[in-house]
Amino acid sequence: MRSTDTHAHSAGSATDAFGAVELVEHTVEPRLNADLLPLLAEADLLDSPALWGSTATPAGAFRLEPVRPGRDLELLTGWMNDPEVAAYWELAGPAAVTAAHLRAQLDGDGRSIPCLGLLDGTPMSYWEIYRADLDPLSRHYPARPHDTGIHLLIGDGTNRGRGLGTTLLRAVADLVLGNRPRCTRVIAEPDIRNTPSVSAFLSSGFRCSAEIDLPEKRAALMVRERALRNLL
């Protein structure tokens, strides 16, 4: 976790009108580090996914951890070059391609947070948690304030095709609703051709609200309502 920097000013002296020396005390004041600003935006826009903690699932303990490019870029680049992933994410290529995708979010105002998904401490999936109501997506459906969107890829092919996507989508939707009290719906928009993804959303408590035409794909608009959370 990043921490704030402080800047200490040394004590100085000033002479008053009577010639006496008056000690001037300079207090230590917190100074905002540029690295802190995205976290402040994140706290305001997305209620800090870094602080959501771990949740128990049938597959193990799961948590989200914000991406650090210096640590995670090689891993994510490998995942993006997996043909099954590249078919829908379209980020295959050298590390610079993945880095640019991450940087667009990390240098932004905090409305989209790229995260690793860790299962029992092992990174095995990539997530983007974003404010759907502030995203261009909101022009394609009747958005509500604080709608929260999710994107997901499972990085290791050995973890695909055995129902893990359903388990993780349910867990992350619960994390969003449990930590974002202003959010009434979790939103997703998988490519309509990606039938395993659409099926996983349906099995994890989302409903298909509509099919929508986005600039890059025709998508299934998936919605999970807070009001139905305890019924699923």
Side-chain angles (χ1 to χ4, degrees), residues 22 30 35 51 53 62 74 76 83 87 90 109 119 123 125 127 136 141 149 155 170 182:
E22 176 186 15
D35 286 344
L51 304 179
F62 181 82
E74 182 178 357
L76 291 173
E90 299 181 347
D109 61 5
L119 190 61
S125 54
W127 301 76
Y141 83 102
R170 184 182 294 274
R182 295 170 291 182

Side-chain angles (χ1 to χ4, degrees), residues 11 46 58-60 64 73 85 90 94 103 112 158 172-173 176 191 204 229:
L46 281 167
L64 293 172
L73 182 58
V85 172
E90 299 181 347
R103 186 53 57 194
S112 181
T158 62
V172 170
V176 170
D191 192 307
S204 60
R229 182 183 180 193

